[in-house]
Amino acid sequence: MWPRLVANKILRKRLGSNNFVADFPSNNSEDNIPNLAQSSLSDHQNIDTYNYKVFVSTWNVGGIVPTEDLDISDWLNTPHICDIYVLGFQEIVPLRASNVLGSENTKTSMIWNSIIRKALNKKKISQEEPQGFKCIISKQMVGILISVWVPTHIRPYIKYPSVSCVGCGIMGCLGNKGAVSVRFRLHQTRFCFVCSHLASGGREGDEKHRNSDVAEILSRTSFPRGPSLDLPETILDHERVILFGDLNYRISLPEATTRVMVEKEEWDTLLKNDQLILELMNGQAFEGWHEGLIQFAPTYKYCPNSNVYFGCVQGKKAEKKRAPAWCDRIIWYGEGLKQHLYSRGEAKFSDHRPVKAIFSAEVEVVQTLKGFQEFFLSDRFDDQIRSKLKIASSDKLQCHDGRLSFHL
């Protein structure tokens, strides 16, 4: 017990800090962000529900520092521009003692954020949004990095961004394993995104260590209640929760059997023996959690810069073999989220392949006169909202003396 207590005392400031990097400077990130809906609560109001598109992705980059000209546009490419982009990375630095025990080096996370910025802002939202996507939260803990981006017109509706770091690694508390969680409120709906790197190991029983890490992350993650003391403190108290990362769950079959089935692309048989799916079905570690249908090849472990799984190369008997597995996953909790895409990328940058998902997330919006007026005239007023009000996309919208009108 005492090593954990000592380490927690030494690392409390680094792991428990609520400080994060963002493109929007603020002396107090919880108080200075405008909230159009809440500012007019005394006015007559209506609560409507809208669907926001949320892109979530995870990638273990194997401790390799990218060059700034790395292009991840294909990875972020989707049929439609999303409203929120959440990108999670693991092992952005090698997990050696100097990185785990030393002071945080943010140079690599700055490089990744620069790469994300370039890729996202290749997408032109509209002529009215020349500033493109901005980072609202970026937080690193050792090798774990989470970065959240939104277009400029959505930023005013986001309030109370906060982060919480939980280390589950060496001595049960260091940040080589664990999670960085971020939360914010979009209009009236609270979101929480959890970027995780769980215990490794392919031996029988190692999945119990991963289950234990999840239990620690869920129990030890804590957010501030906010100035009005009405914000959730724990992960599962939020309305929309998505957990993702290198969860490290393996396939409970002999290594040779797994390799043969992977070569034959017998995904159904392999997935019946996938440890995370079994945990989701049994409800022991993940009661109430969901995952989309996996229809892609295992994402781990590849030989560097190749499509060959590690351990498949002949003549290297001395090296430690690791059977292929779906280590990199995206799961969600509760209602109000619908997954539309779940796939992997093919970048050969590391020994893992990236995984991405797209969700539609229900968001409650308070439609006061002012809030409705600004929301109505914003880019987010898309076809689905116009169809509700039977207003054509070609109609001209005007506001005069607090009244909304449209002209054919």
Side-chain angles (χ1 to χ4, degrees):
M1 178 63 72
W2 70 266
R4 175 179 291 189
L5 294 176
V6 171
N8 271 333
K9 186 172 182 179
I10 294 173
L11 297 170
R12 183 173 296 161
K13 183 176 181 181
R14 182 159 69 95
L15 293 184
S17 171
N18 285 325
N19 297 324
F20 56 85
V21 176
D23 286 337
F24 302 87
S26 173
N27 293 329
N28 187 332
S29 62
E30 297 219 315
D31 293 325
N32 291 346
I33 301 168
N35 186 328
L36 299 177
Q38 192 173 21
S39 65
S40 304
L41 286 179
S42 59
D43 299 335
H44 178 69
Q45 58 187 267
N46 246 342
I47 295 182
D48 286 333
T49 301
Y50 299 103
N51 285 321
Y52 277 71
K53 299 184 187 74
V54 181
F55 176 100
V56 179
S57 187
T58 177
W59 195 7
N60 184 321
V61 295
I64 301 172
V65 178
T67 58
E68 295 210 28
D69 61 354
L70 177 67
D71 188 355
I72 60 172
S73 299
D74 288 344
W75 175 28
L76 301 183
N77 186 42
T78 58
H80 303 284
I81 295 174
C82 293
D83 301 299
I84 303 170
Y85 285 81
V86 183
L87 286 84
F89 300 87
Q90 304 81 42
E91 296 191 46
I92 66 167
V93 297
L95 299 183
R96 52 176 177 254
S98 59
N99 288 327
V100 176
L101 298 173
S103 59
E104 204 80 84
N105 187 333
T106 60
K107 289 182 180 178
T108 305
S109 62
M110 291 172 64
I111 294 173
W112 276 112
N113 279 331
S114 175
I115 291 169
I116 296 167
R117 186 187 309 278
K118 290 177 184 176
L120 283 178
N121 286 300
K122 283 184 177 180
K123 302 171 180 290
K124 298 297 183 181
I125 301 177
S126 74
Q127 293 180 353
E128 288 75 29
E129 286 293 332
Q131 297 181 50
F133 284 86
K134 299 285 188 178
C135 178
I136 61 167
I137 303 174
S138 177
K139 179 65 176 178
Q140 176 187 353
M141 179 184 73
V142 188
I144 301 173
L145 170 66
I146 187 168
S147 193
V148 184
W149 298 71
V150 299
T152 307
H153 70 270
I154 288 179
R155 170 58 182 164
Y157 303 100
I158 291 176
K159 196 174 177 71
Y160 307 122
S162 185
V163 301
S164 179
C165 300
V166 171
C168 300
I170 301 168
M171 294 189 292
C173 62
L174 296 191
N176 57 308
K177 294 292 191 293
V180 179
S181 302
V182 305
R183 75 97 181 275
F184 55 85
R185 192 174 76 188
L186 175 58
H187 290 285
Q188 302 306 115
T189 301
R190 286 85 60 94
F191 285 79
C192 185
F193 297 94
V194 185
C195 181
S196 306
H197 193 183
L198 305 184
S200 60
R203 294 176 298 183
E204 183 178 354
D206 282 343
E207 68 274 14
K208 295 179 181 178
H209 299 304
R210 296 184 267 277
N211 293 348
S212 176
D213 283 354
V214 172
E216 287 285 300
I217 290 165
L218 294 178
S219 64
R220 289 167 50 199
T221 297
S222 178
F223 298 102
R225 295 296 302 274
S228 57
L229 300 179
D230 63 347
L231 293 171
E233 290 185 282
T234 69
I235 290 172
L236 298 184
D237 287 336
H238 292 77
E239 286 105 349
R240 311 287 178 259
V241 181
I242 300 177
L243 185 149
F244 52 97
D246 180 1
L247 306 189
N248 256 320
Y249 285 95
R250 309 302 170 91
I251 299 169
S252 294
L253 290 172
E255 179 188 329
T257 303
T258 298
R259 291 186 184 278
V260 170
M261 289 187 173
V262 167
E263 190 170 340
K264 295 181 178 179
E265 299 187 0
E266 296 182 3
W267 308 143
D268 290 345
T269 303
L270 289 167
L271 289 168
K272 288 177 182 177
N273 294 276
D274 177 83
Q275 293 173 350
L276 178 56
I277 290 178
L278 293 173
E279 292 295 336
L280 289 167
M281 290 174 58
N282 295 333
Q284 296 178 4
F286 292 96
E287 184 175 359
W289 290 84
H290 311 277
E291 183 179 27
L293 180 64
I294 294 177
Q295 295 180 305
F296 49 85
T299 55
Y300 173 85
K301 171 179 171 73
Y302 284 91
C303 294
N305 298 309
S306 79
N307 289 320
V308 178
Y309 284 106
F310 192 81
C312 292
V313 179
Q314 301 298 320
K316 295 186 178 181
K317 296 181 180 179
E319 69 183 10
K320 183 179 180 180
K321 294 184 178 181
R322 295 177 177 88
W326 286 280
C327 289
D328 309 279
R329 311 287 276 270
I330 302 171
I331 62 177
W332 72 94
Y333 178 83
E335 305 298 325
L337 289 167
K338 182 179 180 181
Q339 191 179 73
H340 301 282
L341 172 74
Y342 194 25
S343 65
R344 59 171 254 175
E346 298 304 328
K348 301 182 181 70
F349 185 79
S350 79
D351 55 353
H352 289 249
R353 295 293 187 262
V355 172
K356 65 182 178 182
I358 296 177
F359 297 87
S360 57
E362 294 181 359
V363 175
E364 290 188 344
V365 179
V366 174
Q367 298 292 16
T368 63
L369 177 61
K370 181 182 177 184
F372 180 76
Q373 178 177 316
E374 299 199 23
F375 188 77
F376 191 77
L377 297 174
S378 72
D379 283 345
R380 189 63 189 88
F381 192 78
D382 59 14
D383 292 339
Q384 66 164 340
I385 303 170
R386 288 177 178 271
S387 65
K388 279 189 176 183
L389 299 179
K390 297 182 173 58
I391 300 174
S393 60
S394 59
D395 294 342
K396 303 297 183 182
L397 305 176
Q398 294 183 355
C399 178
H400 181 66
D401 292 336
R403 295 185 178 184
L404 292 168
S405 63
F406 65 95
H407 300 276
L408 299 176

